[in-house]
Amino acid sequence: MIESDELLSIRAAELYYEDDKTQDEIGSILRLTRWKVGRLLAQAKADGFIRIEIVHPRARRLPIERRLRETCGLADAIVVSTAGVDGEDEVQSRVAQAAADYLTALRPVPRTLGISWGRTLHEISLHLEDGWAAGVDVVQINGGVSLTRRAGTAATTAVTIAQKGRGQAALLPSPAILEHRETKRAIESDRAVGAVLAHARAADAYLFSAGPADESSVLVDSGYLTADDVAGLVRRGAVGDVVGRYIDATGAVVDHELDERTVGLPLESLRAATLSIAVITGAAKHAVARAVVGSGLCTVLVTDDGTAENLITTQARTSEGQRGSA
């Protein structure tokens, strides 16, 4: 009898989802009541015989979002589908659009938004609609004056987000990393720079991404570090950077001397924030995504389903290991 019901549920699902039959029509075909058809369809879904996939570029993976929140202790999670995606650039574009949608829907609207910079943040600024908010001021939370001509998007990103949100932008007029600690201290003690940093510390919400610990990092592209510098950081345990600060798998800074030459908010400011939104996508950033989420650097994560599944699986294994050693 159980096998018969299972076969009926599959047949009902085929007629409903593939042949576009109504439940009444399926009842007539299978000689069942409409109530029985509905129960068979629900059972087929519960047993995993039905897999529904929404392939619109702005579609979200709600069941994965729920699991990610529950497994990793996040206040919220936004996970986009990679179904039908052609390449990593399209995945990043989808995630950036999801982050822009999330910002637009935020209630209450943050009066001051602190942002980092880089390729992901720049793309978010392009996806935001003009008028996404009515009076959001934007402040840079780490230095972003480029040392090359290739990656000078920090100021442009902040100004674009602010203008589209009908607000003002407070720019941090400093490189991200300086050569000497004394220079960094002098710059941060400057009245204008100090005022921007104070404004950043008082922000209602933060929006940032994370970079991989390899030569593709925007910090390498911007001329702050060389590929050899990053390789040295990796040997010391670095998995990526957050607001210009390289962290290990536990979220700890790996090079304190470099950290002391980095201009901007410390990581503790992100951990202490009520709303801290990380936008991280791609296989190359799985390790740094785990470090960001695991160390409490964000309360909200916007990502792709592959990264989300990696986080869920890793956390589940960690929890099993902890239970086994208890």
Side-chain angles (χ1 to χ4, degrees):
M1 186 66 181
I2 294 175
E3 182 179 356
S4 176
D5 273 2
E6 182 175 294
L7 292 176
L8 275 175
S9 70
I10 294 170
R11 181 61 175 144
E14 289 171 340
L15 291 167
Y16 188 74
Y17 289 102
E18 295 185 355
D19 209 24
D20 291 327
K21 299 293 185 183
T22 68
Q23 292 188 24
D24 285 330
E25 289 172 331
I26 296 170
S28 296
I29 295 169
L30 300 182
R31 297 182 179 179
L32 302 171
T33 65
R34 188 180 188 281
W35 175 86
K36 176 69 171 178
V37 171
R39 191 180 70 79
L40 288 171
L41 290 172
Q43 190 61 46
K45 188 174 181 181
D47 289 342
F49 302 145
I50 299 170
R51 184 181 302 162
I52 300 172
E53 191 170 60
I54 303 171
V55 296
H56 190 278
R58 292 166 85 162
R60 289 168 52 176
R61 302 294 301 277
L62 301 184
I64 299 179
E65 290 180 1
R66 182 172 59 253
R67 288 164 50 208
L68 188 58
R69 289 193 301 269
E70 294 171 351
T71 304
C72 298
L74 293 165
D76 206 353
I78 297 84
V79 179
V80 303
S81 171
T82 56
V85 170
D86 183 20
E88 292 184 3
D89 287 346
E90 187 176 345
V91 175
Q92 178 164 306
S93 180
R94 286 191 179 188
V95 172
Q97 178 66 70
D101 292 341
Y102 185 80
L103 280 177
T104 303
L106 266 181
R107 296 294 182 274
V109 178
R111 305 324 305 162
T112 302
L113 177 67
I115 69 165
S116 66
W117 58 277
R119 302 180 189 99
T120 300
L121 267 291
H122 182 62
E123 187 150 4
I124 292 170
S125 75
L126 299 180
H127 281 292
L128 281 168
E129 296 287 342
D130 191 28
W132 71 270
V136 173
D137 289 335
V138 175
V139 57
Q140 285 181 236
I141 61 176
N142 62 316
V145 175
S146 180
L147 303 182
T148 70
R149 296 180 179 179
R150 290 177 292 177
T153 62
T156 302
T157 298
V159 169
T160 300
I161 294 175
Q163 287 182 341
K164 287 183 175 181
R166 305 290 190 264
Q168 301 295 318
L171 306 180
L172 191 54
S174 168
I177 301 173
L178 297 164
E179 289 190 23
H180 304 288
R181 283 174 286 188
E182 294 75 17
T183 307
K184 183 245 182 144
R185 294 193 192 105
I187 285 179
E188 289 194 341
S189 66
D190 178 83
R191 185 171 61 181
V193 174
V196 175
L197 289 173
H199 194 25
R201 285 192 293 271
D204 302 307
Y206 296 104
L207 177 70
F208 67 95
S209 186
D214 60 35
E215 61 185 16
S216 71
S217 168
V218 71
L219 293 172
V220 173
D221 198 37
S222 298
Y224 293 115
L225 300 171
T226 66
D228 287 342
D229 291 332
V230 176
L233 291 165
V234 170
R235 287 193 292 272
R236 300 177 65 173
V239 295
D241 80 277
V242 176
V243 294
R245 302 178 190 276
Y246 278 87
I247 59 174
D248 64 16
T250 70
V253 169
V254 298
D255 187 328
H256 290 282
E257 190 276 332
L258 176 63
D259 196 61
E260 289 175 357
R261 294 189 282 114
T262 302
V263 178
L265 292 186
L267 297 180
E268 288 69 26
S269 294
L270 297 179
R271 290 193 176 99
T274 302
L275 179 56
S276 181
I277 307 163
V279 186
I280 308 174
T281 182
K285 296 184 180 182
H286 282 182
V288 71
R290 292 194 297 268
V292 168
V293 172
S295 67
L297 281 167
C298 68
T299 61
V300 176
L301 178 67
V302 186
T303 190
D304 62 273
D305 49 12
T307 302
E309 292 283 12
N310 180 269
L311 284 164
I312 292 167
T313 301
T314 302
Q315 183 58 40
R317 288 174 181 167
T318 301
S319 298
E320 288 176 5
Q322 290 172 343
R323 285 195 297 269
S325 62

